[in-house]
Amino acid sequence: MLRWNIQRGVMLIPKTTHLQRMEENFNVFDFSLSEEDMAVIAALDRNESSFFSHQDPAMVEWFAQIVEERKTRRDCIREKKNW
């Protein structure tokens, strides 16, 4: 996906703290995807989130509730997250 986005002119800032993944991220500059590969990957987009619909008020409310529950239980401190 990094290579596909680079070829589309999308500016990327991959986030990882793992050295192996950082090295893998740099390995996208020694090859190019064919026009056919680019088209096949683009056709995978279904214009919907794989996680949940950000347009569905019930799903947004559910997600907000989970975040609040985690803050209340203080999981964010145990997991070293600053929510």
Side-chain angles (χ1 to χ4, degrees):
M1 291 315 300
L2 292 176
R3 182 69 230 174
W4 181 72
N5 278 299
I6 288 169
Q7 281 185 226
R8 293 176 50 235
V10 175
M11 177 64 71
L12 301 170
I13 304 174
K15 181 207 167 282
T16 184
T17 57
H18 302 287
L19 181 59
Q20 180 181 356
R21 290 189 193 135
M22 287 180 207
E23 292 170 351
E24 290 170 356
N25 289 343
F26 281 112
N27 290 332
V28 298
F29 297 104
D30 60 354
F31 72 96
S32 293
L33 297 171
S34 69
E35 296 270 333
E36 183 180 338
D37 289 338
M38 293 290 290
V40 168
I41 293 169
L44 296 173
D45 185 6
R46 295 183 286 165
N47 287 325
E48 63 184 43
S49 173
S50 295
F51 181 57
F52 67 85
S53 171
H54 297 82
Q55 307 304 320
D56 179 357
M59 291 304 289
V60 173
E61 182 62 34
W62 168 81
F63 186 73
Q65 181 181 359
I66 287 176
V67 170
E68 287 304 313
E69 287 174 5
R70 292 180 71 137
K71 284 163 76 174
T72 303
R73 293 192 331 241
R74 303 182 59 82
D75 286 349
C76 56
I77 292 172
R78 183 171 54 248
E79 296 174 8
K80 296 185 169 109
K81 302 217 189 270
N82 184 16
W83 298 11

